[in-house]
């Protein structure tokens, strides 16, 4: 197969022009590989591992060419002409060889089944995601898989854990596991603060949640206090830098570990590269793990109203947990991390790769 | 737990002084976590995910303090005093939550069982590893898991694959799978060249192996020719840069993918950071996956004679496949990769983190 084939290049150029996101012929190929195994837009986004905007723009282009049809119910179908093009280009359907037991995460819940059950019990009445803070939480199995991963790495048992933003309720799963010495949640949403503190009190967990906006300085008593941090940051570059910088500021030095999720749905590979440069260059930490599709998110109510696109194949309710992120683990080396713990004003939620559209976010905040 | 505890710091400083390798209190903690679950030196190296030299130096220090005893058979035992120190330091035994089905790789062999069987059959008389080229091959299950991973990512079916050095015989597994369009092996060892070409001819595989020393220029006909490369480079920084640079030179541009293994046993986290800086900075590619312990190596005959250490707990035959490496996947972005495809004279095999000792390598090459 030849990556330089004119057709894929042409679509990639068109998509890049329309979205402002760097797009290669290979990215188009990944979308066409996905389109051969699912007719559901959100699953194509998941399989192609491309920004949502890139996938919708590419499919819109294919539709205009007559290669893809949108059905009555919003599902996608390759036309005879579309199938012919794909065959000519030699693009194979995406294969799936992920492990069915761990869903590709590599860690097992075998020894933590009781924890999964307890976690579901105590979080049954959890607050639902709201647009204002760009929330969206992971499945209980994902949350406990994070506990398994941290235990496997020696980052949780007997350790001090900082959770920066916690709509996933990792703090409660960690507390319920009985392993960490101390868990501190810093969170902006009062509903979550109240919920976490209430459960922690009732279950006698070593977990405390405090109000915090990560644009503010990390409070002095937490600087250098923790062994491990975990966070699921918004994905503008500014938000990533500040959020990860605060987490690293919380660690006690060399050997401290950080965990965070990064998606493809809202972050192009070009943004991934910039995040990686920040981590290993400026911050001087090492990336020890990148586990694709580790985090599976439960669908949230505000998705369709919050996006800009009104394309009929995009405006369909997701039928599966399509939104995923890779789990990164980073570790601090001897060199001090270069990050100034000072207040930072920045755009947290919206860039050209974000799902949420700026106007809908403003409206949600009453700024519209 | 406090990472700054004086004792762990003291051991870390002593080990760093003795080995010349950056070592943190956390690294010492990881060794002590491993020592609580195995008495076998090579398994401690595996569990601690530290350079072999760091682990042997640390255990030697612990032995001199009377905290670890070496048994008659070379196995290690924590003494009562050693157990007390570990308890005081609050260091938990290493937990294991890896998925038992995929061994933490995240990919499954379920759909590729026939390939595993065929691969074992045709490679039954494969050449054994020799010291001269720092060889050591992975288990057949590992080789086929690499095929599963490449298929999962859309990097193999219908594609052109470059294999740079192939004692693992990935080329034959790829050929037998029936998926790639073309597989080219560039390899220095005549035994492997003959073996691969013989099997390829007999089995009618689209695989060809050619003699190549990666210190030489990548031949012109292969520059920009491939969609995907895979390699398992020696782990000096020079070797990593040249080997990965040649692989990237072989790719046809944006969207091309590269796979390679990197160990902890011969590469400190500080070296990992430098490799990552090279990849995302100078080379300008993105790292999409780092899957810890993906590659399991079959024990090789020359291990014990080739290392410098004569410590009794080190000079024991490994009882399990302790030597592992993380699988990296990288992908090329729009920006051209900055690497000059020119001849390079460099040290391939030996730095202060290597298993092989310089003198034994020289002797093997008849330079001793």
């Amino acid at each position: 197969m030849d990556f330089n084939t004119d057709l894929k290049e042409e679509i990639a150029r068109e998509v890049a022009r329309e979205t402002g996101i760097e797009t290669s012929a290979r990215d188009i190929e990944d979308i066409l590989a996905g389109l051969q195994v699912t007719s559901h837009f959100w699953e194509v986004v998941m399989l192609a591992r491309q920004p949502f905007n890139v996938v919708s723009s590419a499919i819109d282009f294919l539709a205009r060419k007559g290669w893809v049809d949108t059905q009555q119910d919003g599902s996608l179908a390759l036309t005879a002409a579309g199938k012919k093009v794909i065959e000519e280009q030699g693009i194979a359907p995406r294969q799936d060889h992920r492990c069915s037991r761990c869903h590709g995460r590599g860690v097992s819940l075998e020894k933590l089944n009781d924890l999964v059950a307890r976690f579901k019990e105590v979080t049954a009445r959890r607050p639902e995601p709201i647009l204002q803070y760009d929330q969206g939480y992971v499945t209980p199995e994902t949350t406990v898989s994070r506990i398994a991963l941290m235990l496997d790495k020696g980052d949780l048992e007997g350790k001090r854990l900082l959770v920066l933003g916690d709509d996933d309720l990792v703090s409660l799963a960690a507390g319920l596991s009985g392993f960490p010495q101390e868990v501190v949640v810093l969170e902006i949403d009062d509903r979550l603060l109240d919920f976490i503190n209430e459960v922690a009190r009732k279950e006698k967990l070593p977990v405390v949640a405090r109000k915090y906006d990560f644009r503010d300085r990390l409070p002095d008593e937490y600087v250098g206090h923790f062994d491990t941090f975990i966070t699921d940051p918004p994905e503008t570059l500014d938000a990533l830098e500040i959020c990860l910088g605060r987490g690293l500021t919380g660690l006690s030095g060399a050997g401290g570990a950080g965990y965070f999720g990064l998606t493809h749905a809202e972050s192009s590979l070009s943004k991934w590269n910039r995040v990686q440069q920040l981590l290993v260059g400026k911050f001087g930490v090492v990336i020890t793990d990148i586990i694709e599709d580790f985090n599976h998110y439960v669908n949230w109510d505000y998705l369709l109203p919050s996006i800009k696109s009104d394309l009929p194949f995009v405006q369909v309710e997701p039928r599966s947990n399509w939104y995923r992120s890779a789990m990164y683990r980073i570790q601090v080396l001897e060199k001090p991390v270069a990050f100034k713990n000072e207040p930072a004003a920045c755009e947290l939620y919206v860039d050209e790769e974000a799902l949420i559209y700026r106007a809908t976010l403003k409206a949600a905040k009453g700024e519209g």
Side-chain angles (χ1 to χ4, degrees), chain A residues 77-90:
Chain A
L78 288 164
T79 62
K83 286 176 187 163
K84 188 153 164 277
V85 166
I86 285 175
E87 204 190 316
E88 281 164 7
Q89 298 278 322

Side-chain angles (χ1 to χ4, degrees), chain A residues 15 20 75 83 134 155 164-165 175 199 236 266 301 303 337 350 357:
Chain A
V15 167
S75 67
K83 286 176 187 163
D134 192 23
D155 291 327
L164 266 171
V199 173
T236 66
E266 304 198 69
D301 289 341
L303 172 70
V337 171
V350 182
Y357 179 47

Side-chain angles (χ1 to χ4, degrees), chain A residues 128-169:
Chain A
E128 286 306 310
I130 49 175
L131 171 58
Q132 188 183 352
Y133 302 123
D134 192 23
Q135 290 169 339
Y137 58 73
V138 297
T139 63
E141 288 73 19
T142 300
T143 301
V144 180
S145 293
R146 291 175 178 175
I147 303 299
L149 184 63
M150 288 191 277
L151 287 171
D152 218 54
K153 297 282 183 180
D155 291 327
L156 194 63
E157 189 169 1
K159 304 274 176 141
R160 296 194 182 106
L161 174 68
L162 168 64
V163 186
L164 266 171
D166 197 19
D167 51 338
D168 297 327
L169 304 177

